[in-house]
Amino acid sequence: MRRKLFPVGWALALAMTLPAFAQETLRLGVEAAYPPFSELAPDGTIKGFDIDIGMAVCERLKARCTLVQSEFDAMIPALAARKFDAIVASMSITPERSKAVRFSKVYYESAARFVVKASSPIAITPEGLKGKAIGVQRNTIHEKFAVAQFPGARIVRYAKQDEAFLDLVAGRIDASLADVIAIDQGFLKRPSGKGFELRGPSYDDPKWFGLGPGIAVRKADEKLAARIDEALTAIVADGTYARLAQRYFSVDITPAWGRKK
């Protein structure tokens, strides 16, 4: 049986044309409820630092990226179920999570703190919070820390950090533990945060809070994780990262690996 051959000129043209149309498509799992990292804009689009970083990485990868909104505590199962290809949602790198997903390098640094009403006499100690209601986002490092370190408190869990802030304003909880930047930028600097303040120490012990947020992919996607690391390195080196961060933050959140020595 003879094999049919394409004309040489046509075959060469096809080979030169196909790569121009080929573009990798990646679906990014995002939360859209964690300002200033990720939130819904008035026009319904999703915006924030996580979103900007995700899109900057996609540009470096020369990939077409789409955003898939998900609740935070459903993200790792959704990644495993292939509902998206990467998680860009301020997800801290912890040993427990690293058993289920593969992380990129850390892409920003921050700490955790409590926020309370400024007129509240509450002391941020195990004794001072005994019997008090602490609001935390469900299935987060903050929830685990609050449960372990403040056993006498009543831990109130929320699907979204914004919901904890709403209950704090309404007086249904006495304090909330969250990322200090999310508290400052997403609550205290907004009208709803008037009359509230950060209180107590900053918490950043890796035992509880991990290494910092990374971009998560499936365990098998080792090459994608490596490419994301290369992209993160590149956007820090060329100034893109600093330009994006300055849109949101008045402090330097650059990870240690990206700071100039």
Side-chain angles (χ1 to χ4, degrees):
M1 181 176 178
R2 297 182 63 183
R3 182 184 299 164
K4 290 185 178 181
L5 299 177
F6 291 114
V8 174
W10 190 90
L12 286 173
L14 179 64
M16 295 175 64
T17 303
L18 281 178
F21 290 95
Q23 186 176 23
E24 182 180 17
T25 299
L26 293 175
R27 296 160 300 165
L28 306 182
V30 299
E31 186 179 8
Y34 196 58
F37 298 100
S38 180
E39 63 181 312
L40 284 175
D43 63 1
T45 58
I46 305 174
K47 65 177 185 176
F49 182 68
D50 281 342
I51 310 307
D52 288 354
I53 289 295
M55 289 305 179
V57 166
C58 285
E59 185 176 348
R60 281 286 173 175
L61 297 179
K62 299 189 183 328
R64 181 188 299 111
C65 286
T66 58
L67 303 179
V68 182
Q69 189 175 352
S70 171
E71 289 195 353
F72 187 82
D73 61 347
M75 284 186 162
I76 289 180
L79 180 67
R82 296 185 174 274
K83 293 183 179 180
F84 32 78
D85 305 297
I87 297 171
V88 190
S90 292
M91 183 173 284
S92 292
I93 303 170
T94 66
E96 182 180 359
R97 289 172 180 159
S98 295
K99 293 176 183 177
V101 300
R102 185 180 298 277
F103 280 102
S104 71
K105 60 174 64 178
V106 172
Y107 66 92
Y108 75 84
E109 291 185 356
S110 187
R113 285 190 75 181
F114 278 94
V115 57
V116 300
K117 195 165 187 177
S119 59
S120 170
I122 288 176
I124 306 302
T125 63
E127 187 60 33
L129 287 167
K130 187 175 182 179
K132 305 299 183 182
I134 301 174
V136 293
Q137 188 173 10
R138 191 169 59 223
N139 286 341
T140 62
I141 52 178
H142 307 106
E143 177 192 0
K144 293 181 185 301
F145 182 77
V147 169
Q149 299 298 307
F150 302 94
R154 179 168 62 91
I155 308 302
V156 184
R157 297 161 176 85
Y158 298 88
K160 302 173 183 178
Q161 181 59 42
D162 278 353
E163 295 172 354
F165 291 148
L166 287 173
D167 270 7
L168 184 63
V169 171
R172 287 187 282 267
I173 58 175
D174 301 291
S176 182
L177 177 68
D179 181 273
V180 66
I181 296 174
I183 294 172
D184 184 52
Q185 303 288 114
F187 180 57
L188 294 181
K189 290 184 177 177
R190 301 190 176 196
S192 58
K194 185 177 181 180
F196 292 83
E197 67 180 17
L198 291 163
R199 187 172 297 175
S202 293
Y203 303 106
D204 60 2
D205 185 345
K207 173 183 175 182
W208 297 105
F209 297 96
L211 303 177
I215 296 173
V217 300
R218 286 179 286 275
K219 273 285 193 180
D221 291 340
E222 184 176 358
K223 290 183 179 179
L224 177 58
R227 291 171 60 216
I228 290 173
D229 277 352
E230 292 173 359
L232 288 170
T233 299
I235 66 173
V236 168
D238 71 6
T240 299
Y241 182 96
R243 176 173 53 81
L244 296 177
Q246 286 169 4
R247 294 179 181 176
Y248 303 95
F249 315 118
S250 58
V251 296
D252 184 10
I253 65 165
T254 308
W257 61 261
R259 292 178 189 163
K260 295 181 180 179
K261 296 181 181 179

